[in-house]
Amino acid sequence: MAKVLYITAHPHDDTQSYSMAVGKAFIDSYKEANQNDEVVHIDLYRENIPQIDADVFSGWGKLQTGKGFEELSSEEQAKVGRLAELSEQFVSADKYVFVTPLWNFSFPPVMKAYLDSVAVAGKTFKYTEQGPVGLLTDKKAVHIQARGGVYSEGPAAGMEMGHRYLSVLMQFFGVPSFDGIFVEGHNAMPDKAEEIKANAIARAKDAAKTF
């Protein structure tokens, strides 16, 4: 039995969001094909995702100098403890499904905060004399992204940075399999929006069966 983290970063649900609609189609198809797997939905807009701030740095610093967790302030304990929970949950999973819109060429800020929480030396990667080495070499991931414009070709090609960032990070973590499912152009071509959405949903359902 595999454990899948279904990680969504959108304030709207599948009835309002193209990325969430395609993501739902993917995960529903996956569940149907893998009924014994555990799927955990992490809705980043409803979860407690601490940002790495002064409290976190202070708490980490105290732990590194040998102080016990109980010696941290209540704010430090809450944030450092939660970050540890998130990173442990991430490492314990076998597969990752990231669902985001493309906002200002990237993804919503809460996704960056989440990725910061799991980019932990000794858990997702390690430092060696030859440089950093990823530790998640037995995992796989997919990114489902909605782009209102067209970024795969034309004048905006190369401007998309959300999927590119995730691709670099997954490579850094050592994840050997990382794919993308994109729904794009629905805002630029509103007359074709439903067709674009339907095609992306069909591709997502097919991809989920072999994920």
Side-chain angles (χ1 to χ4, degrees), residues 48-52 56 78-80 82-83 86 113-114 117:
N48 170 25
I49 311 294
Q51 294 190 39
I52 297 177
V56 172
K79 295 175 183 180
V80 170
R82 178 57 177 156
L83 289 172
L86 290 168
Y114 177 76
S117 78

Side-chain angles (χ1 to χ4, degrees), residues 29 43 59 67 95 132 137 175 202 209:
S29 179
D43 182 342
K67 291 186 177 181
K95 304 175 184 180
T137 56
V175 177
K209 296 173 183 176

Side-chain angles (χ1 to χ4, degrees), residues 137-198:
T137 56
D138 57 346
K139 318 290 188 182
K140 63 193 310 184
V142 63
H143 179 208
I144 297 168
Q145 182 195 60
R147 312 163 170 176
V150 176
Y151 291 84
S152 59
E153 60 184 10
M159 297 176 69
E160 191 284 326
M161 291 178 283
H163 183 71
R164 288 162 58 192
Y165 181 89
L166 270 170
S167 179
V168 169
L169 197 62
M170 291 302 104
Q171 183 179 9
F172 182 69
F173 289 170
V175 177
S177 175
F178 178 64
D179 296 311
I181 300 172
F182 311 117
V183 47
E184 67 173 5
H186 43 280
N187 289 344
M189 298 173 284
D191 57 318
K192 297 182 178 180
E194 288 305 313
E195 178 185 353
I196 290 170
K197 180 180 179 180

